[in-house]
Amino acid sequence: MTANHKDQVLAALRACGVREEELGGDLTSRTPLTGDSLLSVPRASREDVAEAIEAADSAFKQWRDVPAPVRGNVVKRWGELLTEHKRDLAILVQAEAGKSMSEAEGEVQEMIDICDFAVGQSRMLYGKTMPSERPGHRLMETWHPIGVVGVISAFNFPVAVYSWNTAIALVCGNTVVWKPSEMCVLSALGAHSLLARAVSDCDAPADIHRLVLADRTAGEAIVDDPRVALVSATGSTRMGKEIAPRVAQRFGRYLLELGGNNAAIVTPSADLDLALRGIVFAAAGTAGQRCTTLRRLLVHNSIADSLVPRIADAYGTLTIGDPRDESVLVGPLVNETSFNAMQQALQDAEAQGGEILCGGKRVLADEFPNAFYVQPAIVKMPAQTEVVQAETFAPILYVMTYENFDEAIEMHNAVPQGLSSAIFTQDQSEAERFLASSGSDCGIANVNIGTSGAEIGGAFGGEKETGGGRESGSDAWKAYMRRATNTINYSGELPLAQGVKFL
């Protein structure tokens, strides 16, 4: 880590409003760019987490009665501050997540976009009015805040996915306790400080948002605390299997965004130039560390020999290295654990009949001995073996062929995960069949675009072992509220429903 980079990170923190006293402690941020340590922060204890939840719960009792459009003013101000400090926060995201500046700024732009969306949503928390069977009665539904929302976020999108939850939760009248990945504490401090400033500028209760910087024990405290009405967690399927029963045991709510094992089908009618571009970004972008990364490519056997070599050739042109160089397209894996998991998956693939067509090797080890840069890999597989069924959070693209469309759909759906999916085709019938109930079984299904790059206007989430939750746009706001059905009698009489007679 050069002194210049650390100075740049410090300057970005200060620009976001982080104070010197918030730094220094035993929880150290490490940058995957070089493998070196950045800065340290104090580690929250379980008692600190309990105090944060108590404060958020107390603030909720005031915040829930603030009119929703007024609550929206806080999120509006947050969006303005994020716009003003977009580059500063992106510097922190790049330092901790290892993204290119384009992708890091794109992540902050997602935060700005969801703020815009949430401000509008603050005036559209609609309930229905239904006809009553009883004369002189009105039947309707109203939506109400639920309480403290605990947000547990992952390293690969250290601020964007958190903001999806937070912006919507706040306009819905909830308060938030955020436990970010311990690998991304500095970007969390930056985002939190900007929100704290927005809260102050709008004279809102200070504790409607609390940040706890800690390891897994802090997440467990959030999961188990009955004062946390909703736990929204992003991570592995293994993590989700631990969280869900613990929250359910106390009759809490959970919103889970878990593993993805995303596939794209390429049919004989596809525009192969278009498909090539979509496939390469979806498979190699962010060094394969997106939950929507393309991991399986299902190509019709009539075009495989022409398309797959073109993908391999395109991989050969990808610039791999320190993404502070703006010509770089593929940055590092987050740590050695991720690198070892990738190497093990490649060994398993070969043992299960696979052939590595390109990539998979570590590069730049002499220049960055403590960082882990790799060549994105393409592996030709004879079938969807055990290794293909599992998600490896690294740039490995498994390629398989199919003979007919029904087989392609069957192969596509034959994995435990169900997050994102895509088809490249110029045949309308194939596109419609892919989007139909008997087509893709994923929460996201795209036509002539890759599996990555979701917009905030649509609900984001998946099925099966992906968890089934929905965040961001559409009607995802309902996950952060409770519904009440109201009957209002203005008749002066007391008829019972279904014609029941009692008195």
Side-chain angles (χ1 to χ4, degrees), residues 59-77:
F60 167 67
K61 294 173 176 61
Q62 180 182 354
W63 186 239
R64 64 187 174 185
D65 290 329
V66 174
V70 178
R71 298 192 298 249
N73 289 337
V74 172
V75 176
K76 179 181 180 181
R77 179 62 181 142

Side-chain angles (χ1 to χ4, degrees), residues 407-451:
E407 180 188 5
I409 293 294
E410 183 178 355
M411 292 172 66
H412 177 279
N413 294 345
V415 295
Q417 309 86 356
L419 178 54
S420 188
S421 60
I423 187 171
F424 290 92
T425 180
Q426 296 298 310
D427 185 318
Q428 184 177 355
S429 175
E430 290 174 337
E432 295 292 344
R433 289 176 64 191
F434 183 74
L435 301 178
S437 299
S438 56
S440 168
D441 63 359
C442 294
I444 300 169
N446 298 329
V447 176
N448 291 327
I449 190 171
T451 54

Side-chain angles (χ1 to χ4, degrees), residues 225-473:
D225 197 307
R227 293 169 295 183
V228 178
L230 169 68
V231 176
S232 178
T234 303
S236 66
T237 297
R238 175 196 56 76
M239 180 197 75
K241 288 180 177 179
E242 294 179 8
I243 288 176
R246 290 169 68 166
V247 178
Q249 188 174 30
R250 62 176 178 82
F251 295 101
R253 298 188 189 188
Y254 53 82
L255 195 167
L256 302 177
E257 296 291 353
L258 309 175
N261 193 355
N262 314 297
I265 297 171
V266 186
T267 74
S269 69
D271 178 337
L272 296 189
D273 291 334
L274 179 71
L276 176 66
R277 296 195 300 274
I279 290 164
V280 173
F281 170 72
T286 326
Q289 296 170 119
R290 290 182 176 226
C291 52
T292 54
T293 290
L294 178 61
R295 309 202 182 279
R296 297 176 296 133
L297 185 64
L298 312 177
V299 187
H300 192 270
N301 53 22
S302 67
I303 58 172
D305 288 343
S306 59
L307 177 61
V308 176
R310 291 183 64 187
I311 298 172
D313 289 343
Y315 270 38
T317 69
L318 296 176
T319 48
I320 304 168
D322 187 336
R324 286 173 291 179
D325 177 348
E326 295 195 359
S327 68
V328 166
L329 297 175
V330 180
L333 292 175
V334 70
N335 55 27
E336 185 176 8
T337 300
S338 292
F339 172 74
N340 291 338
M342 179 179 182
Q343 298 309 300
Q344 185 61 59
L346 291 172
Q347 292 175 27
D348 292 343
E350 287 188 302
Q352 294 167 25
E355 176 189 357
I356 299 176
L357 301 180
C358 68
K361 298 186 183 302
R362 185 181 178 187
V363 296
L364 305 176
D366 291 339
E367 185 178 355
F368 301 109
N370 298 316
F372 294 87
Y373 293 87
V374 295
Q375 300 166 330
I378 300 174
V379 184
K380 183 178 180 180
M381 296 297 295
Q384 295 196 121
T385 62
E386 182 179 354
V387 70
V388 180
Q389 294 275 321
E391 179 189 38
T392 302
F393 220 60
I396 302 175
L397 179 63
Y398 299 111
V399 177
M400 291 152 285
T401 59
Y402 70 92
E403 292 188 8
N404 60 67
F405 194 76
D406 288 338
E407 180 188 5
I409 293 294
E410 183 178 355
M411 292 172 66
H412 177 279
N413 294 345
V415 295
Q417 309 86 356
L419 178 54
S420 188
S421 60
I423 187 171
F424 290 92
T425 180
Q426 296 298 310
D427 185 318
Q428 184 177 355
S429 175
E430 290 174 337
E432 295 292 344
R433 289 176 64 191
F434 183 74
L435 301 178
S437 299
S438 56
S440 168
D441 63 359
C442 294
I444 300 169
N446 298 329
V447 176
N448 291 327
I449 190 171
T451 54
S452 285
E455 299 180 33
I456 60 91
F460 182 93
E463 301 299 323
K464 302 189 292 187
E465 288 190 359
T466 299
R470 292 297 185 274
E471 297 170 323
S472 190

Side-chain angles (χ1 to χ4, degrees), residues 31-61:
T31 176
L33 302 180
T34 61
D36 297 331
S37 296
L38 282 168
L39 297 164
S40 297
V41 299
R43 185 191 304 267
S45 65
R46 290 185 74 95
E47 291 74 22
D48 293 330
V49 178
E51 186 275 328
I53 294 171
E54 175 62 30
D57 187 48
S58 178
F60 167 67
K61 294 173 176 61

